[in-house]
Amino acid sequence: RAFCALPLSVKERFVYPEHEGVWDLGYKLRKRSLGREDKEYFHYTPKNREFLSHYKLEGLIQGNQTISDFFLFGEKLYAAIRDIVFEVGQDFGRFLPSLPAELEKGKDLLTLRFLHYTPERADDESLADAHFDRSGFTLHLFESHPGLQLLDWNMEWKDAPIREGNTVMFTGYQLE
């Protein structure tokens, strides 16, 4: 939340160009006027420290506690989630035998996405249009606005069971 509250001019310093076929790295701001929901996000990968050095942003991080805390949190969360993804991948390997090997092959391409929907108005009923997640897995850590729903096996939309301090994990298009 604190990172999202930073001025746009600061967050935009963390926009990185495409690297080795991986796109949308770092910070991005998207507006509904471009045909998408209003949202901002930060894609965190193992290469973030490399990018920070390459773009000479270490001083900005060292001089701002919010940014420093964000990157430290990203590193810790990435390590924990990567372990979870590999554990789930091993379990899913009973049904998808190629999944564990695919995960291992792409382990340095795993991306952690910090996502913040930014409604145009305080009374917006929906922060996001109905959509599927592009990812293999989504770990939904916090809900600031009611409305997250999941499509069940009976093709019925159900409210996601999210409680403070818990997460919901669901699969996305990439795993499908």
Side-chain angles (χ1 to χ4, degrees), residues 76-120:
K76 289 180 178 179
L77 188 60
Y78 186 91
I81 288 176
R82 189 171 108 173
D83 290 345
I84 291 169
V85 167
F86 279 98
E87 198 171 307
V88 170
Q90 290 295 326
D91 190 46
F92 278 18
R94 293 178 297 152
F95 309 105
L96 303 167
S98 64
L99 184 60
E102 287 293 317
L103 285 171
E104 183 62 33
K105 187 170 71 174
K107 68 181 174 187
D108 293 328
L109 298 175
L110 294 175
T111 301
L112 176 63
R113 179 186 237 192
F114 292 95
L115 175 63
H116 175 228
Y117 287 104
T118 54
E120 286 186 9

Side-chain angles (χ1 to χ4, degrees), residues 50-61:
E50 179 183 317
F51 296 145
L52 297 174
S53 176
H54 179 78
Y55 295 108
K56 300 177 178 26
L57 295 170
E58 296 100 334
L60 180 61
I61 293 170

Side-chain angles (χ1 to χ4, degrees), residues 81-173:
I81 288 176
R82 189 171 108 173
D83 290 345
I84 291 169
V85 167
F86 279 98
E87 198 171 307
V88 170
Q90 290 295 326
D91 190 46
F92 278 18
R94 293 178 297 152
F95 309 105
L96 303 167
S98 64
L99 184 60
E102 287 293 317
L103 285 171
E104 183 62 33
K105 187 170 71 174
K107 68 181 174 187
D108 293 328
L109 298 175
L110 294 175
T111 301
L112 176 63
R113 179 186 237 192
F114 292 95
L115 175 63
H116 175 228
Y117 287 104
T118 54
E120 286 186 9
R121 302 178 321 273
D123 65 342
D124 272 355
E125 289 184 26
S126 174
L127 294 181
D129 300 327
H131 66 279
F132 59 85
D133 283 1
R134 302 183 290 174
S135 63
F137 301 99
T138 295
L139 279 79
H140 192 88
L141 301 174
F142 177 74
E143 183 64 39
S144 62
H145 195 80
L148 178 67
Q149 293 188 321
L150 304 171
L151 187 62
D152 71 12
W153 289 104
N154 297 320
M155 302 304 287
E156 295 177 19
W157 288 99
K158 307 276 184 176
D159 291 337
I162 298 178
R163 291 183 299 276
E164 187 70 30
N166 293 321
T167 186
V168 172
M169 181 175 173
F170 48 93
T171 59
Y173 186 71

